[in-house]
Amino acid sequence: MEINEIELLSVGVDVGSSTSHLAFSSLLLKRDETSPTRRFHVVDRKVVYEGEIIDTPLEDRDTIDVERLTRFFKEEYSRAGIHQDDVKTGAVIITGETAKKQNAEAIAAALSSDAGKFVAATAGPNFESLIAAMGSGAADRSKQTGKTILSCDIGGGTSNMAISCNGQVVSTSSIAVGGRLLAVDAQKKILRTSYAAKKVMTHLGVHYDVGDVIPEKWLEKITSVLAQTLVEVMNGSAVSVLAKDLMVTDDLDFSRKIDEYTFSGGVSELLYGCNGYQHNDIGSYLAAEIKTLFPKLSGPVIELENKIRATVIGAGAHTLSISGSSGFMDDQLKFPMWNVPVLRVDVEQDKLSHAHIKSEIERSLKRFDLSEGAETVAFYFKGLTHNSYQKLVMFGKAIESALANSIGKNIPIILIFRADIACGVGNVIRRETGLKTNLLTLDELDLKDGDWIDIGEPLVDKQVFPVTVKSLIFHDTRKV
């Protein structure tokens, strides 16, 4: 009997600069009967559990407390009545300033392996901007209203911005403006500082460091400058020296007129006058200063339902992609496959030849300074579409020639196509070349150079694969 509907339990885990928490979501996948390939799509997402929010536990300013953090999340699973084996997908996100902690990458990997069957570990400001826009509801609102929406998720170390249009995130950016750039106690004694806070103090001509008591007027002036800088880049490209220095990524693309603005993240709870979370930092000062600058934005500020939980809901409900229904796999392959870099191969349909295919594969490897056969990569052929049997045989033989080292070392050969041709390509390669094992072909995925993907076990007849497309940047940047 054909399977036309799949329900998956997903988890989103957010380890942020100020807080850590998780959420569980139920994802419903259905076949699209109007599609020629009848591929699966996520048609419904429901948050089924929102966990407690805790201060992110640190051993010191550079080290996450692994034991306390893992214990907390295990307790959350227990409170939710969910077993690890019940969770089929999701993502552990290490956000903002926390991503530069010395053990951040190890923490993400450990939490993702304990969180469920196929849970990605990821970090990176552009990715955070994307999932916050999805999790907050900004992307959905842009589809429902037809408006272009700029969303800004203000966390402890960064503000992650995204522009959504017609339900799609079309541009992302991040700046080192956040509520925990300075940590202070009740007496205004500085507990920790950051590169960004020091840059602002230098800009103002003052200097305070850990252990100093900072007058409240300077907290207000520091957050006033941070707020002005944030609004500057929400209105256009960074122009001031300070804004340029605090940018973590490239500017947003303002080729579209912004109709509405919305905020999420911990600071937004204070911004909208909700019951905010106080964490011995400058979050309340920053929220107050940003609010005074609302009139400088070119459109109205709206409030969406998901604020502090935007990232964690986005991680659990919006990180999964589904391949087309015509994948091909060798039974010897083991899943999940983690952290596979995507290399775009610019094969042109009208130039198909053995030499052209081989040279473009070599060019894609060279672009990332990779040696063929050194590691598992995914080659993405966006421009290749349906071809005659003879041309597919030629394509297969070119793959065999170009990836000889990988084949000799039994490294998985992963070929991904935008068009729905994966099954045909896989069968021809197995039948007509010496590449008989370790082959995986997927299709109907939209990827780009620099993506990393995790590939889960196939869901239906070994042809439909869950894929998490992500950023994997544990940055040691000074800007937070």
Side-chain angles (χ1 to χ4, degrees), residues 35-39 323-327 381-382 384-387 392 416-426 441-445:
S35 165
T37 60
R38 300 181 68 245
R39 65 170 303 182
S323 76
S325 301
S326 63
F381 300 86
K382 186 175 183 178
L384 195 65
T385 58
H386 294 271
N387 282 285
L392 289 182
I416 304 179
F417 308 91
R418 184 69 185 89
D420 60 316
I421 59 175
C423 189
V425 172
T441 63
L442 306 176
D443 58 22
E444 296 191 79
L445 290 169

Side-chain angles (χ1 to χ4, degrees), residues 113-247:
S113 65
D114 286 343
K117 195 168 187 178
F118 174 52
V119 179
T122 185
N126 284 313
F127 190 69
E128 294 162 29
S129 301
L130 171 70
I131 63 172
M134 303 294 282
S136 68
D140 281 345
R141 180 176 172 84
S142 74
K143 184 176 183 179
Q144 294 163 3
T145 64
K147 294 180 178 179
T148 299
I149 299 175
L150 194 160
S151 56
C152 180
D153 190 84
I154 310 173
T158 56
S159 291
N160 297 308
M161 298 162 286
I163 295 175
S164 299
C165 183
N166 297 320
Q168 300 295 317
V169 176
V170 296
S171 180
T172 58
S173 187
S174 180
I175 187 170
V177 172
R180 203 166 179 79
L181 296 178
L182 269 179
V184 295
D185 65 15
Q187 286 71 46
K188 305 298 186 293
K189 180 180 178 179
I190 298 177
L191 305 176
R192 65 168 301 276
T193 186
S194 62
Y195 171 82
K198 290 177 179 177
K199 290 297 297 184
V200 175
M201 284 190 274
T202 299
H203 173 79
L204 291 170
V206 296
H207 176 76
Y208 291 95
D209 212 332
V210 175
D212 294 338
V213 175
I214 181 170
E216 187 168 33
K217 71 172 185 178
W218 285 112
L219 290 178
E220 292 172 347
K221 288 182 178 181
I222 289 168
T223 51
S224 176
V225 169
L226 286 170
Q228 291 170 38
T229 305
L230 176 61
V231 170
E232 176 185 330
V233 298
M234 292 179 69
N235 276 326
S237 300
V239 175
S240 67
V241 173
L242 183 61
K244 289 180 178 179
D245 202 21
L246 294 182
M247 289 300 294

Side-chain angles (χ1 to χ4, degrees), residues 283-459:
S284 60
Y285 294 95
L286 181 60
E289 296 293 341
I290 292 172
K291 194 168 185 177
T292 66
L293 298 178
F294 279 1
K296 292 187 176 296
L297 296 172
S298 61
V301 174
I302 61 167
E303 180 179 357
L304 297 176
E305 181 180 357
N306 299 322
K307 290 179 278 292
I308 193 171
R309 299 185 189 274
T311 302
V312 73
I313 290 173
H318 295 277
T319 54
L320 182 67
S321 297
I322 306 295
S323 76
S325 301
S326 63
F328 176 94
M329 63 166 284
D330 177 70
D331 289 338
Q332 294 184 29
L333 292 172
K334 303 297 182 184
F335 297 91
M337 295 183 180
W338 304 108
N339 302 332
V340 180
V342 174
L343 277 62
R344 186 191 75 245
V345 184
D346 294 324
V347 167
E348 297 181 43
Q349 184 76 12
D350 58 355
K351 294 182 180 179
L352 277 185
S353 69
H354 189 289
H356 174 59
I357 295 165
K358 186 175 180 181
S359 67
E360 289 302 327
I361 290 174
E362 291 170 350
R363 191 190 307 274
S364 70
L365 288 162
K366 185 177 181 180
R367 195 162 59 243
F368 284 86
D369 295 319
L370 295 175
S371 299
E372 193 276 305
E375 62 181 279
T376 301
V377 300
F379 294 99
Y380 182 50
F381 300 86
K382 186 175 183 178
L384 195 65
T385 58
H386 294 271
N387 282 285
S388 67
Y389 191 89
Q390 290 74 20
K391 286 192 175 181
L392 289 182
V393 171
M394 180 263 292
F395 177 81
K397 291 186 178 298
I399 293 293
E400 183 181 21
S401 174
L403 305 180
N405 293 330
S406 298
I407 295 169
K409 294 179 180 180
N410 292 318
I411 292 173
I413 305 300
I414 304 174
L415 310 177
I416 304 179
F417 308 91
R418 184 69 185 89
D420 60 316
I421 59 175
C423 189
V425 172
N427 278 307
V428 169
I429 289 177
R430 172 176 277 183
R431 187 181 303 121
E432 301 288 352
T433 76
L435 177 51
K436 306 297 184 184
T437 60
N438 293 311
L439 175 64
L440 174 66
T441 63
L442 306 176
D443 58 22
E444 296 191 79
L445 290 169
D446 192 7
L447 305 173
K448 63 181 183 301
D449 258 356
D451 281 341
W452 296 72
I453 58 174
D454 293 344
I455 307 170
E457 293 181 358
L459 300 173

